[in-house]
Amino acid sequence: MKNAVFYDPDLVRSANLSEKLEVYLLKEGLPLIDPADAVLGVRFQSFTDMGLLYDGERKLLPIGYEWEPESSILGLAKGSGHLYTYHPASGQTGFVNSDICLFMSFLSCVRSFIVSRSESDQATIWTAEEMRERLAAFQRGEILAKRPNRPVFDHKAELTRMRANFEEKDAPSLAGENYWWSCVLEQLEDGLL
């Protein structure tokens, strides 16, 4: 991968992850995301100087963050490879996904949802000169009034489909109302994201 984030081999190996996941982090890497393209503020970063994080219950290999590293770090649990958020100020963690590939898939779904929603909400923008020409053509009968044939984005149906997809692929990610993906879907439903 050309624009990828790779991780320290010694640190990755100390997390006792599956061989497949180790290869993924060391050879393929996670995508290097430009801040303008970050979905839900997620960016991947190698925290070589941080070591494994410990929340009192599990050790996490830090792989990225959400919005700012000071507020929420994303980490893979030692042994299982489950993805958690880690909040440095409180030391608390929260379950996100059963593995990083599912997380990447879910992020892609949310990106598609946001793009589709914003495309359906966009109006056609005309300059004043273009509008005068169109109005004159309309008055001459050259343009018939009609609605654009754009498919209507069904916000509720898409969210229902996305929730069912997440539930099918990784039910634990939605097992609690305060879990990361449960909160994201709720915010999308409420129009906050």
Side-chain angles (χ1 to χ4, degrees):
M1 183 178 285
K2 184 179 176 184
N3 293 317
V5 177
F6 297 97
Y7 297 88
D8 177 79
D10 293 331
L11 191 56
V12 169
R13 288 185 188 101
S14 74
N16 295 332
L17 301 170
S18 70
E19 185 178 339
K20 181 180 175 183
L21 184 51
E22 275 190 21
V23 168
Y24 186 59
L25 296 173
L26 299 176
K27 304 282 188 218
E28 297 175 37
L30 293 175
L32 180 62
I33 301 170
D34 185 84
D37 296 328
V39 176
L40 305 173
V42 170
R43 297 191 58 209
F44 298 107
Q45 175 181 326
S46 179
F47 294 93
T48 54
D49 58 337
M50 191 177 288
L52 295 180
L53 304 171
Y54 184 63
D55 72 351
E57 199 176 313
R58 66 188 62 81
K59 289 186 178 181
L60 302 172
L61 170 68
I63 60 164
Y65 60 91
E66 175 190 10
W67 302 112
E68 298 175 347
E70 298 78 24
S71 61
S72 182
I73 295 174
L74 296 169
L76 297 172
K78 183 176 180 174
S80 70
H82 294 169
L83 184 66
Y84 288 84
T85 56
Y86 175 82
H87 302 278
S90 66
Q92 293 183 327
T93 58
F95 184 81
V96 179
N97 277 106
S98 295
D99 70 44
I100 189 67
C101 294
L102 288 167
F103 181 69
M104 300 296 288
S105 172
F106 286 19
L107 274 182
S108 179
C109 288
V110 170
R111 176 189 302 277
S112 296
F113 174 84
I114 291 170
V115 167
S116 295
R117 180 184 63 196
S118 65
E119 284 176 355
S120 72
D121 292 342
Q122 289 181 357
T124 303
I125 300 173
W126 304 93
T127 65
E129 181 60 30
E130 290 170 326
M131 283 307 299
R132 279 192 287 278
E133 290 172 13
R134 289 184 59 76
L135 180 57
F138 179 71
Q139 290 170 339
R140 291 188 303 266
E142 297 169 5
I143 298 176
L144 299 175
K146 65 177 184 176
R147 298 187 63 99
N149 291 336
R150 279 188 272 166
V152 177
F153 181 75
D154 189 340
H155 183 264
K156 187 175 181 178
E158 284 301 310
L159 281 170
T160 300
R161 184 196 58 74
M162 191 169 15
R163 183 177 291 279
N165 181 34
F166 289 6
E167 182 74 33
E168 178 186 328
K169 289 184 177 181
D170 191 14
S173 70
L174 299 173
E177 66 180 34
N178 292 324
Y179 279 25
W180 200 79
W181 283 111
S182 295
C183 293
V184 166
L185 290 175
E186 182 179 339
Q187 290 174 8
L188 287 170
E189 288 165 356
D190 293 342
L192 300 174
L193 291 176

